[in-house]
Amino acid sequence: MSPAESSAAPTEETDRRPLPPGWSSYITPEGLRYYVNSSSKETTWRRPSSSAEAPQRPLAPQNSSPYGKTCWVITHHLSVSPRFLLQINCVTFPLPGEGPEQQLLKPDEWSYCDYFWADRKDPQCTTSVTGFEVLLQKQLKGKQLQKEMAEFIHERIKIEEEYAKNLSKLSLSPLAAQEEGTLGEAWTQLKKSLHDEAEVHLKFSNKLHTEVEKPLLTFRGDNFKKDLKKYDHHIADLRKQLASRYASVEKARKALADRQKDLEVKTQQLEIKLSNKTEEDIKKARRKSTQAGDDLMRCVDLYNQTQSKWFEEMVTTSMELEKLEVERIEWIQQHLRQYTTLRHETDMFNQSMVEPVDQLLQNVDPAKDRELWVKENKTGDVRPVDMDI
């Protein structure tokens, strides 16, 4: 390629107007921009114009060897597509604002399956956490909070037990035991009422243990964390496979660029000096370039298959985690309402203290809780797409 031709092939698009119908822009392995007409197969260094009087300059002279054109045909078919893609930790995402918007899988539900595709970096941008790990951390945090609720109820039980013990002890006090007559009878009944009240509080503490504390502690026991680790390992393994497939694609892409460059060099040698040996070398280089192109397509297919599997598992697993969170909230709601019911039964004269709690528990809404949490913690709603060549 002459210097004049090189200068006519800039690596950056300065003209932002859309290309005429049928034309696409590509970059050579050396970083030079050229244009291809998908209908006529015409190639040119000059940016095509929609005006009829603007002639196009071909990539090579009209009398060049047919081998010279082979290189560009291969480049046309195996260049990265004009589709706008973004690579994040070896996963392909469309650039925001480019191309058609993807529809949410569960519109208006703020589902986990729609908002945790991208990775989240820490404030220092040194490490990142995958969206799936954010969902797992939510589950582990819920398990810990449930345990803390059980500890709170346990402390309440201890207070009730101590109170019942003190009431029972006070009911046996000998103070004013010598009082006689009807007043003595009333005094004796007052002390007995303390014993009866102690029994009520002791019964309340026992029910708190069996009907509130124990269910909170035993709901999703030790196996729950093991199940979450299985989810984590499964999704992480798929991400590792993606990284491996992506490395293979990049290696194959480099190999193709090297083969095409070698083919171009040998083609230029043939144009300078014709010889049987040079023609044989070009045939070999062309075969290797074609093979490298096939290898690249195979690697991209494997990458897309792995990404499809990851996508499927991410959707199904995140929806399972969403279901588990709803179950957790409803379970806690059920047993805290049992707490207020028992409290009503224990202290009929202080209903007003637990009525606000009753009202708020009735208004617990897992869907609303999920919406608030997703809005605050979502990592990205742009889902991955296939890698194209």
Side-chain angles (χ1 to χ4, degrees):
M1 179 163 37
S2 67
E5 287 174 319
S6 297
S7 63
T11 58
E12 295 185 4
E13 276 277 32
T14 56
D15 192 342
R16 298 300 180 186
R17 292 175 301 170
L19 291 169
W23 286 94
S24 300
S25 171
Y26 299 97
I27 302 294
T28 71
E30 292 76 22
L32 302 176
R33 184 176 297 281
Y34 68 100
Y35 302 88
V36 177
N37 188 308
S38 57
S39 300
S40 65
K41 305 302 181 184
E42 182 183 0
T43 55
T44 178
W45 292 120
R46 291 281 180 86
R47 192 180 197 281
S49 171
S50 56
S51 60
E53 62 272 11
Q56 308 300 334
R57 185 195 303 200
L59 287 177
Q62 295 289 338
N63 58 353
S64 63
S65 164
Y67 294 118
K69 199 169 185 178
T70 302
C71 175
W72 296 112
V73 172
I74 293 173
T75 303
H76 166 60
H77 288 298
L78 294 180
S79 293
V80 178
S81 78
R83 182 180 188 176
F84 293 94
L85 298 177
L86 176 68
Q87 288 290 338
I88 302 177
N89 289 347
C90 306
V91 180
T92 55
F93 289 91
L95 282 174
E98 302 290 353
E101 278 194 37
Q102 299 179 66
Q103 297 297 316
L104 298 179
L105 298 175
K106 297 179 72 175
D108 304 321
E109 294 188 30
W110 294 94
S111 173
Y112 291 171
C113 68
D114 279 320
Y115 295 96
F116 293 90
W117 293 103
D119 298 346
R120 170 186 291 167
K121 285 190 175 294
D122 64 7
Q124 292 75 30
C125 293
T126 54
T127 59
S128 62
V129 176
T130 67
F132 186 73
E133 288 178 16
V134 173
L135 294 178
L136 288 182
Q137 289 170 4
K138 167 68 171 171
Q139 295 293 321
L140 293 173
K141 181 181 179 182
K143 175 69 175 175
Q144 176 60 30
L145 294 177
Q146 187 177 312
K147 181 181 178 182
E148 291 177 9
M149 289 180 185
E151 291 176 357
F152 179 91
I153 298 298
H154 183 71
E155 292 299 316
R156 183 73 170 90
I157 290 171
K158 286 169 62 177
I159 291 172
E160 288 296 320
E161 289 176 343
E162 187 66 22
Y163 186 51
K165 178 181 177 182
N166 289 334
L167 285 178
S168 181
K169 181 179 179 181
L170 186 59
S171 70
L172 300 176
S173 171
L175 295 175
Q178 301 300 319
E179 184 63 53
E180 299 175 350
T182 55
L183 179 59
E185 291 177 1
W187 178 250
T188 300
Q189 184 58 41
L190 184 148
K191 291 197 291 183
K192 184 178 182 301
S193 70
L194 293 182
H195 181 270
D196 294 340
E197 186 177 353
E199 288 296 318
V200 170
H201 284 277
L202 190 60
K203 182 179 180 181
F204 174 54
S205 67
N206 288 334
K207 285 191 173 184
L208 277 183
H209 172 69
T210 58
E211 298 179 24
V212 181
E213 180 195 17
K214 190 174 180 181
L216 289 176
L217 281 174
T218 56
F219 182 62
R220 294 182 188 150
D222 296 335
N223 289 334
F224 181 65
K225 288 187 176 181
K226 293 179 180 178
D227 291 339
L228 289 187
K229 283 185 177 180
K230 290 179 182 178
Y231 287 143
D232 189 19
H233 290 161
H234 183 54
I235 298 297
D237 286 344
L238 288 173
R239 286 294 294 266
K240 288 177 182 177
Q241 290 179 33
L242 268 179
S244 176
R245 300 296 190 198
Y246 178 76
S248 298
V249 168
E250 292 305 301
K251 183 178 178 181
R253 198 189 303 277
K254 183 179 183 303
L256 175 60
D258 292 342
R259 295 301 183 189
Q260 288 184 321
K261 186 174 182 179
D262 182 54
L263 177 57
E264 184 180 355
V265 169
K266 286 181 169 55
T267 302
Q268 291 173 352
Q269 290 174 353
L270 179 62
E271 293 175 358
I272 297 171
K273 182 180 179 181
L274 292 174
S275 69
N276 291 335
K277 183 178 184 306
T278 305
E279 289 190 17
E280 186 63 31
D281 289 343
I282 289 179
K283 291 179 181 178
K284 290 181 180 179
R286 184 171 57 177
R287 285 196 298 269
K288 290 181 179 180
S289 180
T290 303
Q291 181 61 50
D294 291 342
D295 290 343
L296 175 58
M297 287 189 288
R298 179 180 57 81
C299 290
V300 169
D301 284 342
L302 290 173
Y303 176 89
N304 289 339
Q305 290 173 21
T306 302
Q307 182 158 274
S308 176
K309 179 65 175 175
W310 174 69
F311 179 91
E312 178 184 342
E313 292 297 322
M314 273 287 291
V315 171
T316 56
T317 308
S318 60
M319 290 180 69
E320 178 64 21
L321 294 180
E322 179 180 308
K323 176 185 174 184
L324 291 175
E325 178 64 8
V326 171
E327 290 177 355
R328 183 187 78 88
I329 292 175
E330 291 178 344
W331 180 265
I332 293 175
Q333 178 191 24
Q334 172 188 341
H335 289 86
L336 290 186
R337 292 185 69 177
Q338 180 64 13
Y339 167 85
T340 61
T341 299
L342 294 172
R343 188 75 178 84
H344 281 305
E345 294 174 354
T346 303
D347 194 347
M348 299 297 292
F349 298 100
N350 289 311
Q351 301 288 343
S352 60
M353 290 187 294
V354 291
E355 282 177 357
V357 181
D358 262 335
Q359 184 62 42
L360 290 172
L361 284 172
Q362 290 173 10
N363 294 335
V364 168
D365 183 352
K368 183 65 176 178
D369 290 352
R370 181 170 63 251
E371 176 182 347
L372 295 174
W373 184 81
V374 170
K375 284 181 177 178
E376 183 178 352
N377 295 276
K378 62 180 181 177
T379 64
D381 56 356
V382 180
R383 297 189 297 281
V385 294
D386 283 345
M387 182 186 295
D388 282 352
I389 57 172

Coordinates of all heavy atoms in Angstrom, one line a residue, residues 1-2 5 34-35 41-46 56-72 264 267-268 271:
M1 N 0.9 -1.2 0.0 CA 0.0 0.0 0.0 C 0.9 1.2 0.0 O 1.8 1.3 0.8 CB -0.9 0.0 1.2 CG -1.8 1.2 1.3 SD -3.1 0.8 2.5 CE -2.2 -0.1 3.7
S2 N 0.6 2.2 -0.8 CA 1.4 3.4 -1.0 C 1.1 4.3 0.2 O 0.1 4.2 0.8 CB 1.1 4.1 -2.3 OG -0.2 4.6 -2.2
E5 N -2.2 6.0 -0.1 CA -3.3 5.1 0.2 C -3.4 5.0 1.7 O -4.5 5.0 2.3 CB -3.1 3.7 -0.4 CG -3.3 3.7 -1.9 CD -3.0 2.3 -2.5 OE1 -2.0 1.7 -2.0 OE2 -3.7 1.8 -3.3
Y34 N -11.3 0.8 6.6 CA -11.7 0.6 5.2 C -13.2 0.4 5.2 O -13.8 0.2 6.2 CB -10.9 -0.5 4.5 CG -11.2 -1.9 5.0 CD1 -12.1 -2.7 4.3 CD2 -10.6 -2.3 6.1 CE1 -12.4 -4.0 4.7 CE2 -10.9 -3.6 6.6 CZ -11.7 -4.4 5.9 OH -12.0 -5.7 6.4
Y35 N -13.8 0.3 4.0 CA -15.3 0.2 3.9 C -15.6 -0.9 2.9 O -14.9 -1.1 1.9 CB -15.9 1.6 3.4 CG -15.5 2.7 4.3 CD1 -14.3 3.4 4.1 CD2 -16.3 3.0 5.4 CE1 -14.0 4.5 5.0 CE2 -16.0 4.1 6.3 CZ -14.8 4.8 6.1 OH -14.5 5.8 6.9
K41 N -19.9 -6.1 -2.9 CA -18.6 -6.6 -2.5 C -17.5 -5.6 -2.8 O -16.3 -5.9 -2.7 CB -18.2 -8.0 -3.1 CG -19.3 -9.0 -2.9 CD -19.5 -9.3 -1.4 CE -20.5 -10.4 -1.2 NZ -20.9 -10.6 0.3
E42 N -17.8 -4.4 -3.1 CA -16.8 -3.3 -3.4 C -16.2 -2.9 -2.1 O -16.8 -2.8 -1.0 CB -17.5 -2.1 -4.0 CG -16.6 -1.0 -4.4 CD -17.3 0.2 -4.9 OE1 -18.6 0.2 -5.0 OE2 -16.6 1.2 -5.2
T43 N -14.8 -2.7 -2.1 CA -14.1 -2.3 -1.0 C -13.3 -1.0 -1.3 O -12.9 -0.8 -2.5 CB -13.1 -3.3 -0.6 OG1 -12.2 -3.7 -1.7 CG2 -13.8 -4.6 -0.1
T44 N -13.2 -0.1 -0.3 CA -12.5 1.2 -0.6 C -11.9 1.8 0.7 O -12.4 1.5 1.8 CB -13.5 2.2 -1.2 OG1 -12.8 3.4 -1.4 CG2 -14.7 2.4 -0.3
W45 N -10.8 2.6 0.5 CA -10.3 3.3 1.6 C -11.1 4.5 1.9 O -11.1 5.0 3.1 CB -8.8 3.7 1.3 CG -7.8 2.6 1.2 CD1 -7.1 2.3 0.1 CD2 -7.4 1.7 2.2 NE1 -6.2 1.3 0.3 CE2 -6.5 0.8 1.6 CE3 -7.8 1.4 3.5 CZ2 -5.9 -0.2 2.3 CZ3 -7.2 0.4 4.2 CH2 -6.3 -0.4 3.6
R46 N -11.7 5.1 0.9 CA -12.4 6.4 1.0 C -13.8 6.1 1.6 O -14.4 5.2 1.3 CB -12.6 7.1 -0.3 CG -11.3 7.6 -1.0 CD -10.9 8.9 -0.3 NE -9.6 9.4 -0.9 CZ -9.6 10.1 -2.0 NH1 -10.7 10.4 -2.7 NH2 -8.4 10.6 -2.5
Q56 N -15.2 6.1 -5.7 CA -14.6 5.3 -4.6 C -13.2 4.8 -5.1 O -13.1 4.3 -6.3 CB -15.5 4.2 -4.2 CG -16.9 4.6 -3.8 CD -16.9 5.6 -2.7 OE1 -16.0 5.7 -1.9 NE2 -17.9 6.5 -2.7
R57 N -12.2 4.8 -4.2 CA -10.9 4.2 -4.6 C -10.9 2.8 -4.1 O -11.1 2.5 -2.9 CB -9.8 5.0 -4.0 CG -8.4 4.5 -4.4 CD -7.3 5.0 -3.5 NE -7.4 6.5 -3.5 CZ -6.3 7.2 -3.1 NH1 -5.2 6.6 -2.7 NH2 -6.4 8.5 -3.0
P58 N -10.6 1.8 -5.0 CA -10.5 0.4 -4.5 C -9.3 0.2 -3.6 O -8.4 1.0 -3.6 CB -10.4 -0.4 -5.8 CG -9.7 0.6 -6.8 CD -10.3 1.9 -6.4
L59 N -9.4 -0.9 -2.9 CA -8.3 -1.3 -1.9 C -7.0 -1.5 -2.7 O -5.9 -1.3 -2.1 CB -8.7 -2.5 -1.1 CG -9.7 -2.2 0.0 CD1 -10.1 -3.5 0.7 CD2 -9.3 -1.2 1.0
A60 N -7.0 -2.1 -3.8 CA -5.8 -2.5 -4.5 C -6.0 -2.1 -6.0 O -7.1 -1.9 -6.5 CB -5.6 -4.0 -4.4
P61 N -4.9 -2.0 -6.8 CA -5.0 -1.6 -8.2 C -5.8 -2.7 -8.9 O -5.9 -3.8 -8.5 CB -3.6 -1.6 -8.6 CG -2.8 -1.4 -7.4 CD -3.5 -2.0 -6.3
Q62 N -6.4 -2.2 -10.1 CA -7.3 -3.1 -10.8 C -6.5 -4.3 -11.3 O -7.1 -5.4 -11.5 CB -7.9 -2.3 -12.0 CG -8.8 -1.2 -11.6 CD -10.1 -1.7 -11.1 OE1 -10.5 -2.8 -11.4 NE2 -10.8 -0.9 -10.3
N63 N -5.2 -4.2 -11.6 CA -4.5 -5.3 -12.2 C -3.7 -6.1 -11.2 O -2.8 -6.9 -11.5 CB -3.5 -4.8 -13.3 CG -2.5 -3.8 -12.6 OD1 -2.7 -3.4 -11.5 ND2 -1.5 -3.4 -13.4
S64 N -4.1 -6.0 -9.9 CA -3.4 -6.8 -8.9 C -3.7 -8.2 -8.9 O -4.7 -8.6 -9.5 CB -3.8 -6.2 -7.5 OG -5.1 -6.4 -7.2
S65 N -2.9 -9.0 -8.2 CA -3.1 -10.5 -8.2 C -4.4 -10.9 -7.6 O -4.8 -10.2 -6.6 CB -1.9 -11.1 -7.5 OG -2.2 -12.4 -7.1
P66 N -5.1 -11.9 -8.0 CA -6.3 -12.4 -7.3 C -6.1 -12.7 -5.9 O -7.0 -12.7 -5.1 CB -6.8 -13.6 -8.2 CG -5.6 -14.0 -8.9 CD -4.8 -12.8 -9.1
Y67 N -4.8 -13.1 -5.5 CA -4.5 -13.5 -4.2 C -4.7 -12.3 -3.2 O -5.0 -12.4 -2.1 CB -3.1 -14.0 -4.0 CG -2.9 -15.3 -4.7 CD1 -2.0 -15.5 -5.8 CD2 -3.7 -16.4 -4.4 CE1 -1.9 -16.7 -6.5 CE2 -3.5 -17.6 -5.1 CZ -2.6 -17.7 -6.1 OH -2.4 -18.9 -6.7
G68 N -4.4 -11.1 -3.8 CA -4.6 -9.9 -2.9 C -6.0 -9.7 -2.5 O -6.2 -9.2 -1.4
K69 N -7.0 -10.0 -3.3 CA -8.3 -9.8 -2.9 C -8.8 -10.8 -1.8 O -9.7 -10.5 -1.0 CB -9.2 -9.9 -4.1 CG -10.6 -9.2 -3.9 CD -11.3 -9.1 -5.3 CE -12.6 -8.3 -5.1 NZ -13.3 -8.1 -6.3
T70 N -8.2 -12.0 -1.9 CA -8.6 -13.1 -0.9 C -8.5 -12.6 0.5 O -9.3 -12.8 1.4 CB -7.7 -14.3 -1.1 OG1 -7.9 -14.8 -2.5 CG2 -8.2 -15.4 -0.2
C71 N -7.4 -11.9 0.8 CA -7.1 -11.4 2.1 C -8.2 -10.5 2.6 O -8.7 -10.6 3.7 CB -5.8 -10.6 2.2 SG -5.4 -9.9 3.8
W72 N -8.7 -9.6 1.7 CA -9.7 -8.7 2.1 C -11.1 -9.4 2.3 O -11.9 -9.0 3.1 CB -9.8 -7.5 1.1 CG -8.5 -6.8 1.1 CD1 -7.6 -6.7 0.1 CD2 -8.0 -6.0 2.2 NE1 -6.6 -5.9 0.5 CE2 -6.8 -5.5 1.8 CE3 -8.5 -5.7 3.5 CZ2 -6.0 -4.7 2.6 CZ3 -7.7 -4.9 4.3 CH2 -6.5 -4.4 3.9
E264 N -0.8 -11.1 3.5 CA -0.7 -9.8 2.8 C 0.7 -9.6 2.4 O 1.0 -9.1 1.2 CB -1.2 -8.7 3.7 CG -1.1 -7.3 3.0 CD -1.6 -6.2 4.0 OE1 -2.0 -6.6 5.1 OE2 -1.5 -5.1 3.6
T267 N 1.5 -11.7 -0.6 CA 0.8 -11.2 -1.8 C 1.6 -10.1 -2.4 O 1.7 -10.0 -3.6 CB -0.6 -10.8 -1.4 OG1 -1.3 -11.9 -0.8 CG2 -1.4 -10.3 -2.6
Q268 N 2.1 -9.2 -1.5 CA 2.9 -8.0 -2.0 C 4.2 -8.5 -2.6 O 4.6 -8.0 -3.6 CB 3.2 -7.1 -0.8 CG 2.0 -6.4 -0.3 CD 2.2 -5.5 0.9 OE1 3.3 -5.6 1.5 NE2 1.3 -4.8 1.4
E271 N 3.4 -9.5 -6.1 CA 3.2 -8.4 -7.0 C 4.6 -7.9 -7.5 O 4.7 -7.3 -8.6 CB 2.4 -7.3 -6.3 CG 1.0 -7.7 -6.1 CD 0.2 -6.7 -5.3 OE1 0.9 -5.7 -4.9 OE2 -1.0 -6.9 -5.0

